[in-house]
Amino acid sequence: MHRSLLPLLVSLSPAILFLLPGIIVTQEGLWEDYKYGHGDLDNHNFCTWKCLLFTLQWPGAFCQSLNNVSLCRIPPTVNNWTIHGLWPLHAKNRCDCWPMFPSDVQELKAELTELWPSFVRFKSNFHFWRDEWRKHGASAACVEGMNSPLRYFQVCVKLRAQFDIHSLLEDAGITPSCERPYKDRELWFQLKIRLNRNLTVGCDLCTDAEDADSRPVPSPGHPCPDRVPFYYFPINHERPQRPCG
């Protein structure tokens, strides 16, 4: 079972504005370029989603989230939280007809390699990026600011710069460590930040009656049970499968 949210960050409640100043940006002006696009956004058959999850992953515990930890590797240049994806919630009518090619993100390749690497040995970085575009980016493309692979990944890079989780945790005195026995731990490897369609923070999935039955059903380990200790493993490039020995 793996930790997906630090209690300090659960649901990105208003308390975070006080506890971790700077993590939340709600000024719409900052995201003016990424607001709603053309008039088809209200087309019920095209852009059905209301919220997105910007999902980051912690390399120090990612390997323990795999069924086969031997498949995991951490590039030597990775020492921080990395991007997993930007996911529209409850998206319908996903289009599989929009292919993505390396040339689409060539100008972002260096940044994506650093901020969005693959940790799976048999999956290249581009394979990872292409999968995320097909599964999620093509659905997000109904917003004008994300209506191409390049724009979608540019938005993700900008969000990653905005949410500097590692620095915020360090400022709060929270750092990776290996203080207790390895087995039977709850491991924190993922952080999900809920966003509105215009990329402001705090989207409410159930804002009206029609959404009352659309709450996501948690999968095992997402999140861990309340009041259960969890551990924030350090990154170990040489032994990513057992970072604490």
Side-chain angles (χ1 to χ4, degrees), residues 68-86:
N68 185 348
V69 296
S70 67
L71 299 177
C72 189
R73 51 127 180 140
I74 301 176
T77 57
V78 172
N79 293 288
N80 207 327
W81 288 82
T82 61
I83 301 170
H84 190 168
L86 181 62

Side-chain angles (χ1 to χ4, degrees), residues 185-201:
R185 291 187 174 195
E186 303 288 349
L187 305 181
W188 186 28
F189 79 95
Q190 193 160 260
L191 171 65
K192 298 176 181 178
I193 302 171
R194 188 174 292 174
L195 303 173
N196 292 292
R197 197 186 297 180
N198 65 1
L199 302 182
T200 55
V201 174

Side-chain angles (χ1 to χ4, degrees), residues 5 7 40 45-46 49 60 67 90 97 105 114 118 133 135 139 185 197 212-214 224 227-228:
L5 287 179
D40 56 7
N45 294 321
F46 179 55
W49 54 270
N67 291 329
H90 309 303
C97 58
V105 292
E114 176 188 357
S118 170
W133 166 254
K135 293 176 183 176
S139 297
R185 291 187 174 195
R197 197 186 297 180
D213 296 325
S214 64
C224 292
R227 296 179 297 277
V228 173

